[in-house]
Amino acid sequence: VSRRTPPAFRLVIEQPGNEARYRVREQLVGKDLPNDAVGVTRGVSGEIDLADDGTVMPSTSKIVIDVSSLKSDQSRRDNYVRTRLLETEKFPAVIFEPTSVRGAPKVLPTTGETAFSLLGNLTVKGVTKPAIWFISCKFGPTAVTGTASTAFSFTDFAIPQPKVPVLLSVADTIKLE
């Protein structure tokens, strides 16, 4: 019988106060400049467990993003994203399972700021690919706050690139934050 080693440190996504969002550069018909289409959800949960040596404990680390509740400034876009692009009835969540960390302090400090990378597997629409999240964070005595971002193309996860009459163009890069 094997015993599971407890984590030395557990980072838990707290609610309220956290959100996930996508950004895609688009050019709309009748607009002079391109803009970012942004969809946001507060449906973010999960945790990252770290061992004594600062390594990620993959078997107990997972971040889940509820993409069925994504909202932008246009309800038509939201419906299109849910039904045509992400098929949220079948795939209601995007999942990130961290496997390692690069460039982070071995012992989490209680003050200061740092930037590092979190490597792992990202699952979107049932397709899993390696991903690197770039993290910027601040350490406090009882909390770690910060931002994380990654990017990928529509084709990486078999997401059809939007083609609707109001769009002149859509960039092939999706940014998750």
Side-chain angles (χ1 to χ4, degrees):
V1 176
S2 67
R3 285 191 294 166
R4 199 175 269 191
T5 305
F9 198 84
R10 176 172 282 157
L11 297 169
V12 178
I13 306 241
E14 289 190 356
Q15 286 301 345
N18 283 291
E19 66 182 26
R21 64 185 155 263
Y22 70 80
R23 287 184 189 277
V24 177
R25 180 61 50 132
E26 66 182 9
Q27 176 69 53
L28 299 172
V29 171
K31 301 287 182 179
D32 292 335
L33 299 172
N35 71 296
D36 283 350
V38 179
V40 178
T41 179
R42 295 200 186 332
V44 184
S45 61
E47 60 192 38
I48 301 170
D49 289 341
L50 302 171
D52 287 331
D53 62 359
T55 60
V56 172
M57 298 173 72
S59 63
T60 57
S61 298
K62 182 191 291 190
I63 307 294
V64 179
I65 301 168
D66 173 12
V67 291
S68 67
S69 64
L70 282 167
K71 293 211 181 308
S72 71
D73 61 348
Q74 295 181 15
S75 61
R76 261 194 275 171
R77 177 191 294 128
D78 298 341
N79 187 49
Y80 189 87
V81 167
R82 280 192 300 272
T83 59
R84 296 265 182 99
L85 301 184
L86 294 179
E87 299 177 55
T88 59
E89 293 249 339
K90 285 192 336 193
F91 308 103
V94 166
I95 299 168
F96 179 64
E97 297 174 291
T99 55
S100 64
V101 65
R102 184 185 305 150
K106 294 293 181 197
V107 177
L108 291 178
T110 56
T111 61
E113 299 179 26
T114 193
F116 60 93
S117 301
L118 193 58
L119 291 71
N121 296 306
L122 183 65
T123 302
V124 179
K125 279 185 68 175
V127 177
T128 302
K129 300 270 184 167
I132 300 173
W133 287 79
F134 300 97
I135 316 274
S136 173
C137 63
K138 294 180 183 178
F139 299 97
T142 60
V144 178
T145 59
T147 59
S149 64
T150 192
F152 54 85
S153 73
F154 283 89
T155 56
D156 287 343
F157 291 96
I159 301 171
Q161 200 162 352
K163 294 190 186 330
V164 293
V166 297
L167 283 173
L168 287 177
S169 65
V170 176
D172 189 34
T173 300
I174 300 170
K175 295 178 185 172
L176 290 185
E177 302 172 339

